[in-house]
Amino acid sequence: MNRTKMVVASLAVAALMAQSATGVVDAAAKSQTTNTAAPTQAVKTLGNLSGVKISGKSTVKLSNVNILSQDDGNILTYTLTYHNNDSKTLSLIDYWTKVKTKSGTVYSVSVVGADKEKKKVVPGSSVNVTYTTKIAKHLKYSDLNFQIVKWNFSVSGYEQVLGSINIPSTYAVATPVNTTRKLNLNEFSANAKVMSVNVLGSGDSNYVNIALYLQNTGSSSIENPNLKYVVQTPSGTAFAVTPDAASSNIKILPQENKTLNLIAKIPKHVNLNNLQLLLVQNDETSKRDIPVASMGLGTKQGQSSKTAANKERLLKIDSTNITTKVVSIARNQSFGKSDLSIQFSLLNKGDKAVTIPNYSFEVQVGSKSYPLASSGLEGITLEPNEEQIISVDGTIPLIANVDEIDLVMKTPTGGAQGSPEEPTPAQGKSYPVAIYKLPEYTEMQYAQGQERMIKNNDGVFGVTLDAIQKLPWNDGNLLATKITIVNKGTKAAKLPEFAGAYKMDLTALSSTVHLVNTNTTQILGPGEKTSVYVVANIPSSLKFSQLQVQLLQKTGADKTSNWIMFSNYGNTSGLKQIAEGSYFNLDTAGKKSDLKTRKTYLYKGSTSDIIYTELIMRNLENKQTNLSQLAGYFLTDDGQYYKADVNQVKHAVGPESSSLVSLSAKVPKGTTVSNWNLVVGESITEDKLTDAEGKPTGFVNASSMELNLDSRSIQSSLKNVELFPYTLTVKEIEGRTNSSGLEVKLKYDLKRDLTYDMGEFQHKFILEVTDSSGARFEKEIELEKDFVVGGNQTFSYVISDPIFATSRSGGFQFSIYDSYQGEKTKIATQAAYFVNNDLY
């Protein structure tokens, strides 16, 4: 390959690197078109200029030239390199330089302060001397001739012009992107290189973000170098450049390198073609700022470094590669507004730990911007290969064309990265660092039943809004939302500590919102699931058209961040109907069980009745466990609720074991029970499932179980009288009278069905004796106290009443009642006779 082709190839590679180094990792994925135009000519630089011969073998070459635009005229600096190829020392006192325009104007120059002591060039070496002067604003590089003058007292004016150097208009003066430029300044020497250039449009401005690589090639540290930066258009319009907070106060050890992040704000109407970055330093001799290097930025009009949807953006933070990406976005639209919840990833691709700046975020829609709140970013440090996924949330007006919405990441406001005693140039300002095209939205307006994927530092989770239930409680209602979380990863994952929040239409719920997490360990194995409930008390009359429910991650004592948010229009979820004889499954991890109705009775009292239902609760776990405590209401066919008193076991039950649960409520006298249901669920106490001795403050995970009222016929014998789980058989009854009353003796069998565990048995037997005159006498019996379990048991008691004093023959009616909470129902009756033969 000839030299010309090599130069062309090198420039093509440099141009490609200038684009890819902007930090967009997907640059290679962009479509490429074949260039069928004529081959591009090699761009010539100062190195291609011929020098001026000043002796037999020594020459002077122009090695650097810069023009800094200012209001009252431009500042020109240029560097001449004196090459001494002779055998004796070259005295620089014998030579001078001037600048002459093509129109004949001559500008006198002065040596910059750093080079004032350079007086000679020893044989075989080279010396750089930089000169500066002020020139007219309209002058370009090609308008100037750099004259080399030798003092000669034998010519008129004593100045002998040895030659001049002119820069053709086709030459490139600035150092291209990704090309190293050597800097030799008074206090340090370094290699400089523009690594990448991003152009980010925001509002009425373009923000040009420049990654400037500096490598200390000297033997002493570079600490806060006396450097300023300016971005300049080819026509000479200059714009200030602001280092970000991390790039304002720097220290670079010998042979160490750092990448500085520089930002220029430029109005959108300014043409961005061929912008240059000028490095500027104050000169002690001329007492003004002078340009010391010009770096090409390779920019083009209309250039945009917006990151495409689902692609990564590479950032340099503390000279370390950090890849960033929008992971997902969910949107809830309501009442002319959109609530956005964005998951944003930062991944450390370097080999050292990096503290992430506290970036701010906003959504950009055309020329308008709306701030967002980020959670989980402040103060984080990423270890190598560590990823942090944060939540970025906020509310914006409803936008018809979602394609116009972009996410803007901006520098932190304030100088958090710098010294508080030395405010940085970025303090109080914020500039775009990256702009991301948002991926396809997950719409959450009708979120019930939709699984949404959440990826964060803890793992990958599938999250589903299962149900939003409005349940009766005391004098109001409970709003209870069930959210199921499944570990979709391949390893155990830790759930954060949650809090919950509600918004109804546009109003946040002001009452206390409780978060019930059924997984007390907060650890989920692969494929395992858990349920959390967001619960709040609301007035029973409260109506709303849209409900938003939010899981918040606790990040501090009083700090939370959004973890996931759902919305739902219309009514709350209807209760699942459980037909008579079917099972209601409670799928709570660690407490799995099912419920089935057994019997429903109505106890009729003198002033009120009692509705009573027995449930069979079966433990579906493979180990002994404390099952959920239940709570519920009886629901009438016309929509009235009666709170149920619940009686169940308070201890752990074994696997596959069944227990008896009873629920009852007082209802008005004469109530007709038809098409009633039992609304029952797992009781909670504040922020947890109720423990065995706890007092419920609500209930969740409810279903409606169909009830069929059982009629209780009165048995005409005393055999197999059931008071579940007990069965009583009275084998013999004897009645013996005397002057003081009646002694009743019983011989009985009492069995208990040990298949069912139960709590406190709240039923009692009432034994009733009715004599021939209709007088009634009752005896209350507690099972397993007065009557004991076993066969051929005996029991006797005395009715002290003179009505029996004269009774010698005949008999009485003996009845057994089921007594519950003071109300009784006759369940068996049989005639009995007096047996007085052995008394008289």
Side-chain angles (χ1 to χ4, degrees), residues 616-618 653-660 724-725 752-758:
I616 302 300
M617 189 174 193
R618 183 173 54 176
V653 296
E656 295 299 324
S657 294
S658 296
S659 60
L660 186 65
F724 190 81
R752 175 181 170 180
D753 188 344
L754 296 178
T755 305
Y756 301 96
D757 202 348
M758 64 179 181

Side-chain angles (χ1 to χ4, degrees), residues 532-733:
V532 298
Y533 297 89
V534 182
V535 184
N537 294 88
I538 60 172
S540 56
S541 59
L542 182 64
K543 298 183 182 300
F544 50 87
S545 59
Q546 187 199 39
L547 179 72
Q548 289 183 6
V549 59
Q550 195 172 16
L551 281 186
L552 303 169
Q553 177 179 350
K554 293 183 179 180
T555 58
D558 298 312
K559 293 183 179 180
T560 59
S561 64
N562 179 63
W563 199 76
I564 196 169
M565 177 170 57
F566 294 103
S567 286
N568 198 66
Y569 279 104
N571 297 324
T572 54
S573 310
L575 293 174
K576 183 179 179 181
Q577 296 295 315
I578 309 297
E580 175 80 12
S582 299
Y583 287 95
F584 168 25
N585 287 297
L586 298 173
D587 197 24
T588 300
K591 295 178 179 289
K592 292 179 182 177
S593 61
D594 60 21
L595 302 174
K596 183 180 179 181
T597 57
R598 181 185 172 274
K599 294 287 184 179
T600 297
Y601 299 132
L602 185 66
Y603 292 86
K604 295 183 178 181
S606 56
T607 59
S608 63
D609 296 338
I610 296 176
I611 180 73
Y612 171 88
T613 292
E614 285 178 353
L615 303 178
I616 302 300
M617 189 174 193
R618 183 173 54 176
N619 178 15
L620 300 183
E621 297 287 345
N622 60 4
K623 62 184 183 302
Q624 188 180 42
T625 189
N626 288 292
L627 298 178
S628 295
Q629 299 294 305
L630 303 180
Y633 279 75
F634 290 96
L635 173 61
T636 70
D637 56 346
D638 58 357
Q640 294 180 329
Y641 287 97
Y642 294 97
K643 189 174 183 180
D645 293 322
V646 182
N647 177 35
Q648 68 185 103
V649 298
K650 303 296 185 182
H651 54 263
V653 296
E656 295 299 324
S657 294
S658 296
S659 60
L660 186 65
V661 182
S662 64
L663 299 97
S664 62
K666 286 189 176 183
V667 298
K669 177 67 179 172
T671 297
T672 299
V673 178
S674 177
N675 299 320
W676 281 32
N677 287 271
L678 176 65
V679 177
V680 63
E682 298 171 276
S683 69
I684 61 170
T685 302
E686 304 297 343
D687 295 323
K688 62 181 181 178
L689 294 175
T690 304
D691 57 31
E693 301 300 328
K695 182 179 180 181
T697 58
F699 66 114
V700 297
N701 195 25
S703 284
S704 182
M705 304 186 74
E706 181 185 14
L707 300 179
N708 288 328
L709 187 65
D710 290 277
S711 60
R712 304 178 78 178
S713 58
I714 302 173
Q715 292 182 204
S716 58
S717 75
L718 303 182
K719 292 182 179 180
N720 298 320
V721 179
E722 185 182 73
L723 195 55
F724 190 81
Y726 296 95
T727 302
L728 174 68
T729 295
V730 178
K731 300 164 72 174
E732 295 180 11
I733 304 176

Side-chain angles (χ1 to χ4, degrees), residues 362-413:
E362 63 185 31
V363 162
Q364 180 174 288
V365 185
S367 61
K368 295 183 178 180
S369 297
Y370 305 93
L372 302 178
S374 62
S375 304
L377 184 61
E378 185 176 0
I380 67 167
T381 297
L382 294 183
E383 298 294 331
N385 295 316
E386 182 182 1
E387 182 180 24
Q388 177 81 13
I389 298 178
I390 64 172
S391 181
V392 182
D393 310 287
T395 301
I396 67 172
L398 190 61
I399 306 299
N401 187 2
V402 297
D403 292 337
E404 296 179 355
I405 303 177
D406 297 319
L407 177 67
V408 182
M409 183 168 72
K410 305 179 75 173
T411 58
T413 56

Side-chain angles (χ1 to χ4, degrees), residues 256 365 440 562 599 632 645 765 780 789:
E256 187 184 24
V365 185
E440 184 176 350
N562 179 63
K599 294 287 184 179
D645 293 322
F765 276 139
E780 185 177 88
V789 174

Side-chain angles (χ1 to χ4, degrees), residues 173-293:
V173 173
T175 304
V177 174
N178 268 309
T179 302
T180 300
R181 173 66 177 270
K182 293 183 178 180
L183 300 179
N184 290 295
L185 305 175
N186 51 345
E187 71 268 29
F188 67 88
S189 60
N191 288 332
K193 178 167 58 175
V194 172
M195 299 287 292
S196 64
V197 180
N198 294 323
V199 178
L200 305 172
S202 180
D204 296 328
S205 301
N206 284 313
Y207 292 85
V208 180
N209 292 7
I210 305 161
L212 179 65
Y213 169 92
L214 287 179
Q215 180 187 34
N216 184 356
T217 58
S219 58
S220 59
S221 296
I222 300 175
E223 189 164 359
N224 296 329
N226 181 26
L227 275 179
K228 300 177 183 177
Y229 311 94
V230 172
V231 164
Q232 195 165 273
T233 67
S235 63
T237 304
F239 298 93
V241 173
T242 303
D244 70 8
S247 304
S248 299
N249 298 300
I250 62 170
K251 182 177 182 180
I252 310 176
L253 300 175
Q255 304 307 311
E256 187 184 24
N257 63 75
K258 286 190 180 296
T259 301
L260 310 185
N261 296 311
L262 311 177
I263 305 163
K265 181 180 179 181
I266 301 176
K268 279 190 173 177
H269 66 267
V270 173
N271 194 323
L272 299 181
N273 280 337
N274 299 318
L275 295 179
Q276 291 185 7
L277 173 69
L278 268 64
L279 279 60
V280 177
Q281 208 174 35
N282 187 264
D283 177 45
E284 63 181 28
T285 299
S286 60
K287 305 300 182 185
R288 62 191 176 202
D289 289 337
I290 61 171
V292 296

Side-chain angles (χ1 to χ4, degrees), residues 9-235:
S10 299
L11 289 169
V13 171
L16 179 60
M17 290 180 67
Q19 295 176 21
S20 64
T22 60
V24 185
V25 175
D26 61 302
K30 295 182 179 178
S31 61
Q32 298 180 3
T33 58
T34 304
N35 187 358
T36 58
T40 304
Q41 295 296 318
V43 177
K44 294 184 178 181
T45 64
L46 296 181
N48 298 109
L49 293 173
S50 299
V52 174
K53 199 170 186 180
I54 58 175
S55 69
K57 295 182 180 180
S58 298
T59 57
V60 176
K61 297 196 71 174
L62 181 66
S63 56
N64 184 23
V65 62
N66 309 283
I67 295 177
L68 174 64
S69 179
Q70 295 195 332
D71 292 338
D72 58 346
N74 294 342
I75 305 299
L76 169 71
T77 62
Y78 62 98
T79 301
L80 297 179
T81 301
Y82 295 85
H83 299 281
N84 184 0
N85 296 319
D86 292 311
S87 58
K88 61 179 181 179
T89 297
L90 181 69
S91 175
L92 295 182
I93 296 175
D94 296 334
Y95 300 94
W96 192 242
T97 178
K98 291 183 179 181
V99 176
K100 185 177 181 179
T101 68
K102 290 181 178 180
S103 62
T105 303
V106 177
Y107 293 99
S108 297
V109 302
S110 60
V111 179
V112 299
D115 293 345
K116 288 175 65 175
E117 301 303 320
K118 295 179 179 179
K119 304 296 185 183
K120 58 185 179 179
V121 186
V122 299
S125 67
S126 300
V127 169
N128 296 318
V129 181
T130 300
Y131 306 88
T132 183
T133 188
K134 198 168 189 178
I135 61 175
K137 283 187 66 66
H138 67 278
L139 295 175
K140 302 184 293 294
Y141 294 111
S142 58
D143 296 327
L144 306 176
N145 287 307
F146 301 92
Q147 294 182 334
I148 310 301
V149 177
K150 182 177 182 181
W151 299 113
N152 188 343
F153 295 102
S154 62
V155 301
S156 176
Y158 311 120
E159 296 180 2
Q160 179 184 355
V161 178
L162 300 180
S164 63
I165 303 171
N166 175 255
I167 305 172
S169 59
T170 57
Y171 274 48
V173 173
T175 304
V177 174
N178 268 309
T179 302
T180 300
R181 173 66 177 270
K182 293 183 178 180
L183 300 179
N184 290 295
L185 305 175
N186 51 345
E187 71 268 29
F188 67 88
S189 60
N191 288 332
K193 178 167 58 175
V194 172
M195 299 287 292
S196 64
V197 180
N198 294 323
V199 178
L200 305 172
S202 180
D204 296 328
S205 301
N206 284 313
Y207 292 85
V208 180
N209 292 7
I210 305 161
L212 179 65
Y213 169 92
L214 287 179
Q215 180 187 34
N216 184 356
T217 58
S219 58
S220 59
S221 296
I222 300 175
E223 189 164 359
N224 296 329
N226 181 26
L227 275 179
K228 300 177 183 177
Y229 311 94
V230 172
V231 164
Q232 195 165 273
T233 67
S235 63

